[in-house]
Amino acid sequence: MSARTRRLTTAQALVRFLSAQYTERDGVRRRLIAGTWGIFGHGNVAGLGQALVEYADVMPFHQGRNEQSMVHAAVGYARQLNRLSAQAVTTSIGPGATNLVTGAALATINRLPVLLLPGDYFATHSADPLLQQLEHPVEADVSVNDTLRPVSRYFDRITRPEALIPSALQAMRVLADPAETGAVTLALPQDVQAEAYDWPEEFFAERVWYVRRPAPDPVELTAAVEAIRSAERPLIVAGGGVHHSEAEAALKAFVEATGIPVASTQAGKGALRHDHPADLGGIGHTGTAVSDDLARTADLVIGVGTRYTDFTTASGTLFQNPDVRFLNLNITGFDAHKLAARTLVCDARAGLELLREALAGHRVEASYEAEYRAGKERWDEVVEAAYRAADENAVPTQTQVLGALDAAVGDDDVVINAAGSLPGDLHKLWRSRSPRQYHLEYGYSCMGYEIPAGIGVQQAAPGTPVWALVGDGTYLMMPTEIVTAVQEGLPLNIVLIQNHGYASIGGLSEETGGERFGTAYRFRAADGTFTGAPLPVDLAANAASLGMDVLRAKTVRELREALAAARASDRPTCVYVETDPAPTAPPAEAWWDVPVAETASREAAVEARERYDRQVATRRRHL
């Protein structure tokens, strides 16, 4: 190693190091850490805050309003760029740090990279306890940042400057690893941030992290080919790994060569364009009728880049063929082995290309293709009926809002959602036209994700129209990043749907015997009950007060006009619409397990338990 060194503080060294990190895949190079989000307090203002000023020319800085929101924005950014570029988030100690936990969980569950840099107590304990420090009576090295350990893929507390060197390298390795990525946390004691050290110049050299595309093991590939050739009713379940690998073209070529149809998870939707003859739409509890019907009779389910959550498997009740077997193509062995599957542990694109070559000449029976194509045509009619408005001057339903948006967007627009009743409607009905258009965060289904994620997507794809779809419940969770969109000059579009309560959970409460208790925004009467009068809350006025242009739409016609105006605007714009609460979405095509009270005195709960017992009896263990 060269003897040349550079004297910098730990925080300065970290920022300088991060500015020189790159990823490369398929010959395309990107900055690994493209910018840093921050809210400053006494845990980071004099350390990382000063360092970001020192190196503002090489590390872009974005000012946030809420620590959780900053993580969501960084996650939206990383997902839009297929995990090849990420952002960092710095906070003070105390509540600033613990506010990161929800965002970190979301990132790790969804396998999306984000670097978290929370401040921490004094490593020297020279000021002990300091403001906001958690004191543990028997574990003096514990801080509130330890809450980030279970939701981080890599965690370290940097208690000496020189400890940053191996830890920073490990952090970059995990962020750039397609199998291990997620939230990475480097907790930074505030005294260590400001401490100077003689750093080796090699630490600041440009470093490229190659994002590999591992090929399948030949033995596994042979077994996979045999399984597909012997199947009569194979079905592909496309997950988010198709997008992360940029394997959409490979999937299309594989499907067109073999005739095997594709159903998609929330993360995988858009893997095929909606009008491809083999695209059956969503699968599982919020899936389409054609996908779920085929899933019940499939003899081979080919999972490509999916985690098989309970929504996808309908809590273990969907795949009912007694002879069904699973073949999972996944870059992680952990996910590939689910459902006692044959495994193909590899990159999605590499695996699909080799499977297509090995299956040359193989195709499903023409009768099977005719069956699923007919089912797809029937479902397309269901979508049209849900989108259609008989009266353009009527108050729109929620599905008609989606129909109006479908007519307004272009092929490359991005539609973002995460929680409430919208994910189910979108999974069933949305017609994805490009791989990046459908952006649903459903691994953690985090209320409040949509607006900050929209900011991250626009940072990653300047000039792309971005639509954050939010209900009133989600909006009230986290509207503050509207100010950030205004400050950054990002023309984010918000479609704010007012239905006066938690529509999704209200329906679930009714189905499970909860009688919609505590799910509506209504006045509370003196006797403790809720009256029918909605609260006099004007969320559109709130959005305007935060700096957005607001367009109010009362009818379907006004909604169409407002959406067109928002898309043409170069300002952050909110389209506000109160919807007709009458349900117009197709009912669930498969079950979802939410346990119901085993004993109760109220009739609603007793009846719900009877329904539950009938459904749970159909669950299978796939062994």
Coordinates of all heavy atoms in Angstrom, one line a residue, residues 24-25 173 176-180 209-214 331 347:
E24 N -21.5 -1.5 -12.1 CA -21.5 -1.7 -13.5 C -22.1 -3.1 -13.8 O -21.9 -4.1 -13.2 CB -20.0 -1.7 -14.1 CG -20.0 -1.9 -15.6 CD -18.6 -1.7 -16.2 OE1 -17.9 -0.8 -15.7 OE2 -18.2 -2.5 -17.0
R25 N -23.1 -3.1 -14.8 CA -23.7 -4.3 -15.3 C -23.9 -4.1 -16.8 O -24.4 -3.1 -17.2 CB -25.0 -4.6 -14.5 CG -25.6 -5.9 -14.9 CD -26.8 -6.3 -14.0 NE -28.0 -5.5 -14.3 CZ -29.1 -5.6 -13.7 NH1 -29.2 -6.5 -12.7 NH2 -30.1 -4.8 -13.9
R173 N -20.4 -3.5 -0.8 CA -20.6 -4.9 -1.3 C -22.0 -5.3 -1.2 O -22.6 -5.9 -2.1 CB -19.7 -5.9 -0.5 CG -19.9 -7.3 -0.9 CD -19.2 -8.3 0.0 NE -19.7 -8.3 1.4 CZ -20.8 -8.9 1.7 NH1 -21.5 -9.6 0.8 NH2 -21.2 -8.8 3.0
A176 N -24.5 -3.4 -3.5 CA -24.4 -3.8 -4.9 C -24.7 -5.2 -5.2 O -24.7 -5.6 -6.4 CB -23.0 -3.4 -5.4
D177 N -24.9 -6.0 -4.2 CA -25.1 -7.5 -4.3 C -26.6 -7.7 -4.7 O -27.5 -7.4 -3.9 CB -24.8 -8.2 -3.0 CG -24.7 -9.7 -3.2 OD1 -25.7 -10.3 -3.7 OD2 -23.7 -10.3 -2.9
P178 N -26.9 -8.3 -5.8 CA -28.3 -8.6 -6.2 C -29.0 -9.5 -5.4 O -30.3 -9.5 -5.3 CB -28.2 -9.1 -7.7 CG -26.8 -9.7 -7.8 CD -25.9 -8.8 -6.9
A179 N -28.3 -10.4 -4.6 CA -29.0 -11.4 -3.7 C -29.1 -10.9 -2.3 O -30.0 -11.2 -1.6 CB -28.2 -12.7 -3.8
E180 N -28.2 -10.0 -1.9 CA -28.1 -9.7 -0.4 C -28.6 -8.2 -0.2 O -28.7 -7.8 1.0 CB -26.7 -9.8 0.1 CG -26.2 -11.2 0.1 CD -24.9 -11.3 0.9 OE1 -24.6 -10.5 1.8 OE2 -24.1 -12.2 0.5
W209 N -18.1 -1.7 -8.6 CA -18.7 -3.0 -8.0 C -19.5 -3.6 -9.2 O -20.5 -3.0 -9.6 CB -19.6 -2.6 -6.8 CG -18.8 -2.0 -5.7 CD1 -18.6 -0.6 -5.6 CD2 -18.2 -2.6 -4.6 NE1 -17.8 -0.4 -4.5 CE2 -17.5 -1.6 -3.9 CE3 -18.1 -3.9 -4.2 CZ2 -16.8 -1.9 -2.7 CZ3 -17.3 -4.2 -3.0 CH2 -16.7 -3.2 -2.3
Y210 N -19.1 -4.7 -9.7 CA -19.7 -5.4 -10.8 C -20.9 -6.2 -10.3 O -20.8 -7.0 -9.4 CB -18.7 -6.3 -11.6 CG -17.7 -5.5 -12.3 CD1 -16.5 -5.2 -11.7 CD2 -17.9 -4.9 -13.5 CE1 -15.5 -4.5 -12.3 CE2 -17.0 -4.2 -14.2 CZ -15.8 -3.9 -13.6 OH -14.8 -3.2 -14.2
V211 N -22.1 -5.9 -10.8 CA -23.3 -6.5 -10.5 C -23.4 -7.8 -11.4 O -23.7 -7.7 -12.6 CB -24.5 -5.6 -10.7 CG1 -25.8 -6.3 -10.2 CG2 -24.3 -4.3 -9.8
R212 N -23.2 -8.9 -10.8 CA -23.1 -10.1 -11.5 C -24.4 -10.7 -12.0 O -25.5 -10.4 -11.5 CB -22.4 -11.2 -10.7 CG -23.1 -11.6 -9.4 CD -22.3 -12.5 -8.5 NE -23.0 -12.8 -7.3 CZ -23.0 -12.1 -6.2 NH1 -22.4 -10.9 -6.2 NH2 -23.7 -12.5 -5.1
R213 N -24.3 -11.5 -13.0 CA -25.4 -12.3 -13.6 C -25.1 -13.7 -13.5 O -24.7 -14.3 -14.5 CB -25.7 -11.9 -15.0 CG -26.3 -10.5 -15.2 CD -26.8 -10.3 -16.6 NE -27.4 -9.0 -16.9 CZ -28.7 -8.7 -16.5 NH1 -29.4 -9.6 -15.9 NH2 -29.1 -7.5 -16.8
P214 N -25.2 -14.4 -12.4 CA -24.8 -15.8 -12.3 C -25.7 -16.7 -13.1 O -26.9 -16.5 -13.2 CB -25.0 -16.1 -10.8 CG -25.9 -15.1 -10.3 CD -25.7 -13.8 -11.1
I331 N -32.4 -15.5 -7.8 CA -31.0 -15.3 -7.6 C -30.6 -15.6 -6.1 O -29.4 -15.7 -5.8 CB -30.6 -13.8 -7.9 CG1 -29.1 -13.7 -8.1 CG2 -31.1 -12.9 -6.8 CD1 -28.7 -12.4 -8.8
D347 N -29.3 -15.6 -12.0 CA -29.9 -14.3 -12.5 C -31.1 -14.6 -13.4 O -31.1 -15.6 -14.2 CB -28.9 -13.6 -13.3 CG -29.4 -12.4 -14.0 OD1 -29.7 -11.3 -13.4 OD2 -29.6 -12.5 -15.3

